[in-house]
Amino acid sequence: MKLLIANGHLIDPTEGQNSGKNMLIENGRVVAWLGQNESAPEDAEVFDATGLIVAPGFIDLHVHLREPGEEHKETIASGCAAALAGGFTSVCPMPNTMPVNDNAAITRYMIEQAERAGLANVFPVGAITKSSDGSELAEMGEMKAAGAVAVSDDGRPVPNAGIMRRAMEYAKDFDLPVVDHCENKSLTSGGVMHEGRISLLLGLKGMPALAEDLDAVRDVILAKETGARVHIAHISTKGAIEIVRRAKNENINITCEVTPHHFTLTDKTVEGYDTNTKMSPPLRSEEHLEAILEAIKDGTIDAIATDHAPHHADEKALEYDRAPFGIIGLETAVGLAFERLVHAGIIDLVRLVELFSTNPAKIFGLKGRGTLKVGSIADVTILDPDFNWTYKVSETKSKSKNTPFDKRNFTGASVATIVGGRIVYRKSVERS
Ligand SMILES: [Zn+2]
Ligand SMILES: [Zn+2]
């Protein structure tokens, strides 16, 4: 099976590549880069990428796929279909399933469900502690052997510094990155939005930025002490960003990701009490958003991850205080990044590819991904920076519809997704 991606603009930061090239794929691998006048095998299927960007497959380090246990919200198959529609060839589901992914059997089950679906690649994140209850370490080695690529207790971050220290030492032995949702719960208990002027005005209980900053400090110090690879999930505060920036200057092994909603929205959008503006960490104020944009630009932020968190409409229909945290995000991430980052002149396309592909692959150690160099796995995301489209959640591939971005117009999209050399998604072409 041969596929020639012809006439495209090939961007691969791992090879310093940023110009027109044809790419030949055979049996799921990249086998050659060719000049655009060079002849290619005649029996190859041709994908015409004229006017399009050809990039290594996008990898989402942070999703919630709800299987096993909450298949009414999402399944591994539906989540993977949404991933492909959004341009992601690989997704890394967090362990807060029911039961929690704290053992090899569940890790293996998730991978098998993904293989059965035959859509995107799934690289599970295992729990740090058993049932993510913060007390006893999970069997990281067994989960790694079963295919887990990192460990995290995401929404229930390990509160005890002693246990987190041991977790980092243990994870380091298995060369697994530790992903932390930085939130000191003693400061956020009962909170539903960012603590500040707007939470006061709305009379909603706030979650202070301080809660994120404190845990980020703890994690940086523990990372330095243990030498573990520590990755901060969905960074959202000016303080935490400054802490990561300083840690990187000291060569501490720390990386971080940001979500598209944190670089596009602020707590002002909570004013309508739409529960699709309720997430954890919460949407922050303008000064935090400015700090995030600066950190995306200067390289302090390594990756964009969606924190795709499907919830059933009935749950999100509750009043603001009672609704669950989180929004879906797989299908809007690339559009939002084009809008707020690329077309706004904050980053260029090479940096976009680093944030969505090259760096995520490095952070979780996904060999043969995040690159299109000859010999690598042929996971490819094809982008059209000028594609005008409207996101309609009624047409989402996800089983849930909790998004604040319904009916938003975008310029720039992923228009085709190739996994292991197979074209698994093409956006219907209705260019305007
Ligand atoms: Zn989280
Ligand atoms: Zn999450």
Side-chain angles (χ1 to χ4, degrees):
M1 228 180 74
K2 291 177 194 164
L3 174 67
L4 181 76
I5 303 178
N7 311 315
H9 183 103
L10 183 59
I11 296 182
D12 182 356
T14 67
E15 298 285 280
Q17 166 63 30
N18 183 18
S19 66
K21 276 267 187 272
N22 290 352
M23 187 169 71
L24 184 64
I25 293 168
E26 205 175 323
N27 299 324
R29 299 257 170 186
V30 177
V31 293
W33 289 3
L34 305 165
Q36 290 186 327
N37 296 319
E38 240 174 289
S39 62
E42 278 174 16
D43 55 344
E45 181 191 347
V46 177
F47 180 104
D48 183 11
T50 302
L52 304 177
I53 306 295
V54 179
F58 285 7
I59 299 161
D60 191 341
L61 296 179
H62 192 143
V63 298
H64 299 270
L65 297 185
R66 307 301 189 206
E67 183 179 356
E70 292 183 292
E71 287 85 352
H72 63 292
K73 296 182 178 186
E74 197 78 288
T75 61
I76 287 171
S78 66
C80 285
L84 296 181
F88 293 99
T89 54
S90 299
V91 291
C92 306
M94 286 290 152
N96 64 333
T97 44
M98 290 178 186
V100 169
N101 179 20
D102 63 1
N103 65 74
I106 296 181
T107 303
R108 214 173 294 122
Y109 172 79
M110 291 166 100
I111 292 170
E112 283 166 7
Q113 286 299 81
E115 283 169 355
R116 222 162 276 149
L119 301 167
N121 309 299
V122 167
F123 298 107
V125 177
I128 295 176
T129 60
K130 290 186 179 160
S131 304
S132 286
D133 70 3
S135 48
E136 199 185 330
L137 296 184
E139 290 298 342
M140 296 182 193
E142 290 174 16
M143 288 189 290
K144 172 155 181 172
V149 294
V151 288
S152 179
D153 278 349
D154 186 26
R156 300 171 67 193
V158 180
N160 182 306
I163 290 170
M164 193 57 157
R165 178 187 182 183
R166 280 205 291 122
M168 285 189 193
E169 287 165 350
Y170 196 44
K172 192 187 169 204
D173 285 344
F174 296 111
D175 193 26
L176 283 167
V178 176
V179 181
D180 199 20
H181 165 130
C182 291
E183 179 186 351
N184 187 314
K185 299 244 181 188
S186 69
L187 288 160
T188 58
S189 162
V192 297
M193 69 173 292
H194 174 64
E195 180 184 284
R197 197 177 57 83
I198 307 221
S199 66
L200 274 176
L201 279 171
L202 299 181
L204 292 172
K205 184 140 191 324
M207 306 162 84
L210 175 69
E212 183 168 329
D213 304 353
L214 268 178
D215 267 16
V217 168
R218 181 194 74 170
D219 287 352
V220 164
I221 293 171
L222 288 176
K224 186 175 179 181
E225 169 72 22
T226 61
R229 286 193 283 146
V230 174
H231 178 69
I232 294 183
H234 42 53
I235 201 161
S236 74
T237 66
K238 191 178 173 178
I241 286 167
E242 196 44 47
I243 289 153
V244 169
R245 188 177 279 125
R246 267 185 269 151
K248 286 186 165 192
N249 283 336
E250 285 182 48
N251 294 318
I252 296 170
N253 220 335
I254 197 135
T255 53
C256 67
E257 72 195 20
V258 69
T259 72
H261 46 274
H262 285 111
F263 66 66
T264 48
L265 302 177
T266 65
D267 56 351
K268 232 183 132 24
T269 58
V270 180
E271 280 175 350
Y273 295 98
D274 176 0
T275 55
N276 288 323
T277 62
K278 181 175 177 182
M279 51 279 275
S280 175
L283 298 173
R284 304 288 184 186
S285 60
E286 192 66 37
E287 65 164 329
H288 295 287
L289 190 143
E290 290 303 320
I292 286 169
L293 293 176
E294 186 56 39
I296 289 172
K297 191 173 178 169
D298 75 10
T300 303
I301 288 175
D302 301 276
I304 296 172
T306 65
D307 199 5
H308 176 83
H311 287 294
H312 193 267
D314 291 348
E315 291 170 291
K316 274 293 201 185
L318 295 171
E319 53 269 47
Y320 207 89
D321 280 328
R322 291 172 60 212
F325 291 103
I327 57 168
I328 56 170
L330 284 163
E331 293 165 315
T332 45
V334 169
L336 289 166
F338 268 111
E339 170 191 302
R340 196 68 183 88
L341 306 178
V342 178
H343 296 314
I346 291 171
I347 60 168
D348 61 13
L349 287 167
V350 174
R351 176 89 179 115
L352 182 84
V353 173
E354 281 176 6
L355 287 161
F356 271 116
S357 179
T358 318
N359 290 349
K362 277 188 205 152
I363 293 165
F364 279 6
L366 307 179
K367 291 197 181 66
R369 320 270 174 185
T371 176
L372 290 175
K373 85 175 179 209
V374 171
S376 60
I377 296 158
D379 288 352
V380 187
T381 296
I382 305 217
L383 304 166
D384 183 345
D386 304 316
F387 190 92
N388 292 314
W389 61 290
T390 305
Y391 176 59
K392 294 188 194 106
V393 78
S394 58
E395 293 169 10
T396 182
K397 307 272 186 215
S398 170
K399 285 182 95 169
S400 292
K401 297 184 168 54
N402 49 312
T403 173
F405 299 117
D406 191 25
K407 302 195 174 70
R408 193 167 173 124
N409 296 315
F410 292 104
T411 300
S414 63
V415 291
T417 315
I418 295 168
V419 175
R422 268 192 324 133
I423 302 170
V424 281
Y425 178 81
R426 276 186 104 146
K427 213 174 181 74
S428 57
V429 182
E430 28 172 283
R431 287 167 204 251
S432 43

